[in-house]
Amino acid sequence: MVKKIVSDSENEDKHKLDDPKSLGELVVTEGATVKDFAELVKKNPSDIIKRLISLGEMVTINQPLSNEAINVLAEELGYELKIVSPVEETAPEVKETLEDLEPRPPVVTVMGHVDHGKTSLLDGIRKTNVIASEAGGITQHIGAYQVIKNNKKITFIDTPGHEAFTAMRARGAKVTDIAVLVVAADDGVMPQTIEAIDHAHAAKVPIIVAINKIDKPEANPEKIKQQLTEYGLVSEEWGGDTIFVEISAKLGTNIDDLLEMILITAELQELKASCKATTKGFVIEAKLDKGRGPVATVLIQQGTLKVGDSIISGVVNGKVRALTNDQGNPVEEATPSMPVEVIGFSSVPHAGDEIKVVADEKVARQKAEERALKLRIIEGGREKKLSLEDLFQKIQEGELQELNLIIKADVQGSVEALRDSFNKLDQSEVKINIIHQGAGAISETDVMLAAASNAIIIGFNVRPAPKARELARKEKVDIRTYRVIYQVIEDINAARIGLLKPEYEEILLGRAEVRAIFKITKVGTIAGTFVQDGEINLDAKARLIRDGVVVYDGLIHSLRRFKEDVSVVKSGFECGIGLENFNDVKEGDIIETYKIIEKPRV
Ligand code: GDP
């Protein structure tokens, strides 16, 4: 956290604490604790504390120092001080400025029902329009490719379907600008067509409809247009604003028209990015290559990624050793919306994670480590994405004015019944959005959509498939299953009203100070504590506070006095506390226990 860059303190006489002679530059990370600072300047922490007390600042060893305190101490010790922020040590972020903004190519995802021709379309587009390559048209599948139409570039994501699209979005990646919805003219609107529409809508991505397979004698494009009106996609000729293109992916018919429509839609969006801003993008594919090590395909959103750049993505750091474009050719740099394969990551990053260029390798490594640590700390107490219970809080904090729901039911009739009931609820203050509905089990795709859109899944007479349940647990998605309609409505209504006037209140139950740490194999870390106030209750919720900051919020999984499991420990007694999925307890931490009670509404 804290480090010294230049110092001749190795030769320093330890007894001459206040020698005014300059000891060199001292780089201190903002938020350094007394302990960190003492180590850095090779002093006894208690001397630092004593000095601060005499200056009127009461601190404990693990408490972060204020910048003023660091200033005074460094000056007294004869250092030239440099205080840096915890992560961006040397390179402040360059924001996009209006002057630097330049048009960037749109990024397009192809969606639709299975066998309607998504892959054929992507292959067709690539074949007819690949940017002339010296390698003689050898196409590389790197996860995305670019084509040129009317001297303008268009980027296509090479993995068709809304599943990949939403999985990326659930990780925070908003990559796609336009969705091309492929519907086979000889088949019609199918379940995955509807899913694709809902997923694109949830992401607020405009849809262009490609009616495919018009070469087939039984093709009936008019039927498709008719069917799609039910889902809000009305063609321009019928007074709507959705672009429809009739194509044959197989024969290449009207592919050019489709590309042109993509460009028109992109123009309306005024997609712009700056090549000069701090480089950021998203990993869209990543793998471990036998010969080359970790390889990731990256789509840059702003800035320019160059060979030699130090990078970080999630908890993975690296230095760009080589960049390869979608033609398989080495390139020196990648600009916004240009897909490139990046070699140089220390391990395989996650698809959907952001990639960012940082000042140097040291910063990249440090930042990756910090993120890994943070991740470990929050993993146990990781906040639910959104549960019915905590809705009101979000609304109150102004974070949420809409409640997103996904409805799955046993039969279409129940779906409709639920939908109608929701529509009847008062929505003046909190709008209920049914972002997706359908008959059938709750699938992994539903969970992904919920995770990406902060939605709650309502299952009526259906259960999640085991894989979906597992994913929901991982993604912290709230799945509610019911067997009676009025209970669904009652719950949603209660949550909705709760949103407006909180009907829950937190009651603090007890407070214990951590005085010793015990690491027990297979069990984890147990905090040896002294109960200062109230009582510690095994059933209560608990949070761990370090220097006033909540570092964990969750549950107690074990409570012991001596060797006995107990359910309550009162103030004035010592006890061992184990927190659920959390081991990073330190001496001096405070464990607070509390419960949330329902307040009677007036
Ligand atoms: P995906 O599952 O949506 O990716 O669909 P594919 O691209 O794999 O296509 C499914 C099938 O439809 C394949 O047998 C294709 O050859 C066929 N197909 C795709 N596009 C067309 C088309 O425009 N015309 C005809 N006749 N067949 C097509």
Side-chain angles (χ1 to χ4, degrees), residues 287-347:
K287 61 177 184 209
L288 190 62
D289 185 287
K290 268 199 188 130
R292 299 181 296 166
V295 178
T297 298
V298 161
L299 209 54
I300 295 303
Q301 299 217 303
Q302 64 164 48
T304 306
L305 183 67
K306 301 190 188 79
V307 174
D309 278 347
S310 295
I311 46 177
I312 170 154
S313 176
V315 296
V316 179
N317 61 300
K319 187 176 170 120
V320 180
R321 282 212 315 272
L323 294 171
T324 314
N325 68 10
D326 56 354
Q327 311 283 298
N329 298 326
V331 288
E332 276 304 305
E333 55 178 48
T335 48
S337 297
M338 171 177 164
V340 271
E341 251 187 1
V342 179
I343 301 174
F345 280 105
S346 59
S347 57

Side-chain angles (χ1 to χ4, degrees), residues 73-323:
L73 293 171
E75 197 184 311
E76 282 192 5
L77 291 164
Y79 285 104
E80 268 171 50
L81 177 67
K82 186 168 171 195
I83 298 181
V84 292
S85 74
V87 255
E88 304 302 330
E89 277 81 358
T90 37
E93 192 152 312
V94 184
K95 294 253 185 299
E96 286 188 334
T97 62
L98 229 48
E99 308 88 77
D100 290 340
L101 286 180
E102 287 171 42
R104 67 166 175 87
V107 179
V108 181
T109 296
V110 175
M111 300 182 184
H113 195 73
V114 63
D115 278 348
H116 278 199
K118 300 179 292 291
T119 314
S120 308
L121 176 60
L122 279 165
D123 288 348
I125 293 170
R126 192 199 327 248
K127 249 186 255 147
T128 49
N129 277 281
V130 158
I131 298 168
S133 122
E134 285 166 24
I138 299 167
T139 51
Q140 297 273 319
H141 285 261
I142 65 166
Y145 64 83
Q146 264 185 342
V147 296
I148 291 184
K149 172 77 189 163
N150 302 346
N151 286 325
K152 292 193 174 112
K153 288 176 182 162
I154 306 172
T155 305
F156 283 91
I157 302 285
D158 215 356
T159 317
H162 55 275
E163 294 87 354
F165 165 84
T166 299
M168 295 258 293
R169 213 160 66 78
R171 294 196 72 89
K174 293 200 177 75
V175 171
T176 303
D177 302 305
I178 296 167
V180 169
L181 179 72
V182 179
V183 191
D186 61 338
D187 197 6
V189 170
M190 298 298 280
Q192 284 175 292
T193 315
I194 301 164
E195 276 193 16
I197 296 170
D198 289 342
H199 284 235
H201 276 160
K204 300 193 166 63
V205 169
I207 295 172
I208 295 176
V209 181
I211 299 181
N212 190 28
K213 308 197 187 183
I214 52 156
D215 58 287
K216 286 198 159 186
E218 63 270 41
N220 186 353
E222 295 309 303
K223 186 184 97 188
I224 311 285
K225 286 184 197 165
Q226 180 64 51
Q227 286 179 334
L228 284 174
T229 55
E230 276 180 50
Y231 302 94
L233 299 178
V234 182
S235 73
E236 288 176 315
E237 57 189 298
W238 293 359
D241 57 4
T242 305
I243 297 174
F244 281 69
V245 187
E246 295 176 18
I247 62 163
S248 164
K250 195 173 167 185
L251 305 179
T253 319
N254 291 344
I255 302 270
D256 271 353
D257 284 359
L258 177 63
L259 296 179
E260 228 153 81
M261 291 307 152
I262 290 171
L263 286 177
I264 289 174
T265 309
E267 225 158 85
L268 289 174
Q269 288 179 299
E270 294 186 28
L271 304 167
K272 287 189 174 148
S274 158
C275 294
K276 293 181 186 160
T278 295
T279 308
K280 285 182 188 172
F282 285 108
V283 173
I284 55 170
E285 245 182 54
K287 61 177 184 209
L288 190 62
D289 185 287
K290 268 199 188 130
R292 299 181 296 166
V295 178
T297 298
V298 161
L299 209 54
I300 295 303
Q301 299 217 303
Q302 64 164 48
T304 306
L305 183 67
K306 301 190 188 79
V307 174
D309 278 347
S310 295
I311 46 177
I312 170 154
S313 176
V315 296
V316 179
N317 61 300
K319 187 176 170 120
V320 180
R321 282 212 315 272
L323 294 171

Side-chain angles (χ1 to χ4, degrees), residues 385-399:
K385 275 228 153 73
L386 191 63
S387 74
L388 213 48
E389 283 82 8
D390 61 20
L391 274 174
F392 72 86
Q393 217 174 335
K394 300 258 177 201
I395 292 265
Q396 260 214 325
E397 289 159 4
E399 274 182 46

Side-chain angles (χ1 to χ4, degrees), residues 342-557:
V342 179
I343 301 174
F345 280 105
S346 59
S347 57
V348 182
H350 269 295
D353 272 354
E354 190 187 62
I355 173 178
K356 192 174 162 193
V357 170
V358 292
D360 53 43
E361 278 175 282
K362 211 166 50 191
V363 174
R365 207 174 324 114
Q366 188 187 349
K367 198 165 167 177
E369 278 166 14
E370 268 176 32
R371 282 183 180 177
L373 178 72
K374 255 193 211 149
L375 207 66
R376 280 200 296 277
I377 290 178
I378 57 174
E379 240 166 26
R382 192 170 148 204
E383 215 183 295
K384 269 201 165 202
K385 275 228 153 73
L386 191 63
S387 74
L388 213 48
E389 283 82 8
D390 61 20
L391 274 174
F392 72 86
Q393 217 174 335
K394 300 258 177 201
I395 292 265
Q396 260 214 325
E397 289 159 4
E399 274 182 46
L400 204 82
Q401 282 86 37
E402 299 188 342
L403 170 51
N404 288 342
L405 295 180
I406 292 173
I407 304 176
K408 290 307 273 287
D410 48 351
V411 289
Q412 194 59 32
S414 314
V415 177
E416 299 303 331
L418 276 168
R419 191 184 183 100
D420 290 347
S421 311
F422 285 136
N423 286 341
K424 281 188 201 128
L425 293 175
D426 171 21
Q427 302 199 17
S428 52
E429 290 188 58
V430 179
K431 194 163 166 293
I432 293 174
N433 280 338
I434 296 163
I435 60 168
H436 180 58
Q437 59 177 21
I442 297 160
S443 66
E444 283 171 89
T445 324
D446 294 330
V447 175
M448 269 304 169
L449 179 60
S453 315
N454 260 342
I456 288 165
I457 301 178
I458 304 286
F460 183 74
N461 280 337
V462 288
R463 310 284 302 168
K467 275 191 171 167
R469 191 197 304 275
E470 174 58 25
L471 187 64
R473 203 184 52 75
K474 227 172 83 201
E475 295 288 331
K476 315 278 177 196
V477 166
D478 196 6
I479 298 181
R480 304 242 152 185
T481 51
Y482 298 87
R483 296 186 66 82
V484 193
I485 283 202
Y486 83 79
Q487 266 174 3
V488 185
I489 304 304
E490 225 174 58
D491 268 16
I492 295 297
N493 208 21
R496 193 183 57 83
I497 298 164
L499 308 174
L500 312 175
K501 278 189 205 159
E503 53 180 10
Y504 298 95
E505 193 181 18
E506 185 189 312
I507 306 282
L508 213 56
L509 298 174
R511 188 184 145 90
E513 189 188 43
V514 179
R515 296 195 169 167
I517 305 294
F518 306 101
K519 294 211 190 302
I520 299 168
T521 357
K522 291 203 182 119
V523 175
T525 308
I526 298 295
T529 68
F530 176 77
V531 185
Q532 295 174 317
D533 283 317
E535 58 181 39
I536 300 296
N537 203 309
L538 183 61
D539 296 329
K541 288 177 170 245
R543 62 169 79 96
L544 186 88
I545 297 164
R546 180 170 304 152
D547 300 324
V549 177
V550 178
V551 289
Y552 167 83
D553 200 351
L555 297 170
I556 294 177
H557 80 71

